[in-house]
């Protein structure tokens, strides 16, 4: 069975109604990024940051996976699929994908403020627990914080993602600007003879000489086109 690796970004979740950070009118227009997505911002005002992610978490209750997510899961019928996502939502899981690497953390999880990546203190929240409060403690006595990789923090699962990319027969980039590192560097690990597809309605500049098939459509329509192209191939 061929190996297919999907690198997904904010564009796939935008179709489900999740605000993107980077586009005009996105979350970064409302909040300075370093205020809500850096360890310095968290240390300066932990309550503001915790409440920001409480709001993001509650948004998950109102959104559903779209056809793009569903078709990513459907590819598992035909390929050995790994989804590497820069998104912190759980829409790939809810659509039925099984092998998912979250590069930037997971919104539905909280962790220790002292040691965010210690698995002993990482906790999956049920929907009724989505409102984290100041004073809610991890097992090591520190304030529970969002299990999110903030700017300036290590991306602990990038090595896992690179390992999967190295095995790809088909590599699909969907809904990401390829501006955010280290995720954007994953293409460098993909074998040169692998098929590479880019699904994005906009022009995306990728600094490479390799052949990339650009499907200039949104996530759902683009995934339908991808399925057709792969079936024909």
């Amino acid at each position: 069975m061929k190996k297919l690796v999907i690198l997904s970004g904010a564009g796939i979740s935008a179709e489900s109604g999740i605000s993107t950070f980077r586009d005009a009118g996105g979350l970064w227009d409302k909040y300075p990024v370093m205020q809500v997505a850096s360890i310095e911002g968290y240390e300066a005002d932990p309550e503001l940051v915790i409440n920001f992610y409480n709001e993001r978490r509650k948004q998950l209750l109102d959104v559903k996976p779209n056809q793009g997510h569903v078709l990513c899961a459907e590819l598992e019928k035909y390929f050995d699929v790994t989804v590497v996502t820069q998104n912190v939502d759980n829409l790939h899981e809810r659509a039925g994908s099984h092998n998912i690497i979250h590069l930037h953390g997971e919104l539905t999880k909280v962790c220790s403020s002292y040691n965010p990546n210690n698995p002993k203190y990482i906790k999956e929240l049920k929907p009724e627990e989505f409102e984290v409060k100041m004073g809610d403690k991890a097992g090591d006595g520190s304030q529970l914080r969002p299990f999110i990789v903030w700017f300036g923090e290590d991306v602990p699962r990038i090595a896992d993602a690179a390992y999967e990319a190295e095995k790809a027969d088909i590599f699909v980039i969907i809904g990401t600007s390829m501006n955010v590192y280290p995720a954007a560097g994953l293409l460098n690990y993909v074998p040169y003879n692998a098929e590479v597809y880019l699904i994005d309605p906009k022009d995306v500049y990728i600094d490479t000489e390799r052949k990339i098939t650009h499907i200039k459509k949104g996530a759902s329509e683009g995934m339908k086109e991808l399925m057709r192209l792969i079936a024909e191939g």
Side-chain angles (χ1 to χ4, degrees):
M1 192 178 262
K2 282 188 172 179
K3 179 78 187 174
L4 188 148
V5 178
I6 296 165
L7 174 63
S8 74
I12 191 170
S13 293
E15 278 192 28
S16 290
I18 289 187
S19 303
T20 63
F21 265 117
R22 290 184 176 273
D23 289 334
L27 293 171
W28 286 358
D29 285 354
K30 298 172 190 148
Y31 296 90
V33 59
M34 299 313 276
Q35 189 176 28
V36 293
S38 72
I39 193 65
E40 293 81 9
Y42 177 64
E43 286 170 351
D45 194 342
E47 190 164 14
L48 177 125
V49 174
I50 285 169
N51 285 333
F52 174 82
Y53 289 96
N54 285 342
E55 291 303 312
R56 305 279 73 72
R57 223 173 272 122
K58 283 185 210 154
Q59 191 183 22
L60 293 181
L61 301 173
D62 299 326
V63 297
K64 292 186 177 130
N66 60 59
Q67 191 72 14
H69 295 106
V70 171
L71 291 176
C72 286
E74 198 168 303
L75 283 168
E76 292 183 14
K77 293 178 188 170
Y78 314 104
F79 300 98
D80 173 11
V81 178
T82 298
V83 176
V84 178
T85 187
Q86 299 170 83
N87 299 334
V88 297
D89 60 61
N90 59 1
L91 294 177
H92 278 298
E93 284 88 344
R94 285 163 56 189
S97 289
H98 291 94
N99 190 12
I100 304 165
I101 295 172
H102 280 273
L103 289 181
H104 297 158
E106 296 176 67
L107 197 48
T108 57
K109 293 182 178 177
V110 286
C111 59
S112 158
S113 287
Y114 295 151
N115 189 353
N117 295 308
N118 186 331
K120 268 193 348 194
Y121 306 124
I122 297 170
K123 177 187 174 189
E124 174 89 38
L125 298 174
K126 301 186 187 80
E128 61 270 20
E129 300 171 313
F130 277 4
E131 180 88 26
V132 177
K133 296 184 174 63
M134 291 299 293
D136 291 349
K137 297 283 199 287
D140 60 0
S142 69
Q143 170 68 39
L144 281 175
R145 61 159 265 190
F147 183 57
I148 301 289
V149 177
W150 287 326
F151 285 94
E153 294 187 312
D154 289 336
V155 179
R157 299 213 62 192
I158 194 65
D160 299 335
Y163 175 75
E164 296 296 328
E166 284 173 342
K167 298 187 291 180
D169 298 298
I170 302 171
F171 191 75
V172 180
I173 302 161
I174 175 166
T176 173
S177 62
M178 297 298 280
N179 283 332
V180 179
Y181 284 84
L186 286 173
L187 185 58
N188 298 328
Y189 292 88
V190 177
Y192 209 76
N193 60 350
E195 297 172 46
V196 179
Y197 295 89
L198 167 69
I199 298 172
D200 200 297
K202 299 187 216 141
D203 289 324
V204 177
Y205 174 72
I206 299 177
D207 187 13
T208 182
E209 292 178 1
R210 71 187 303 150
K211 178 176 182 283
I212 297 177
T213 302
H214 186 180
I215 300 170
K216 287 189 94 168
K217 295 182 175 178
S220 295
E221 290 305 313
M223 280 300 294
K224 286 182 198 165
E225 176 81 356
L226 175 77
M227 301 285 269
R228 188 180 65 73
L229 290 173
I230 287 176
E232 287 174 357

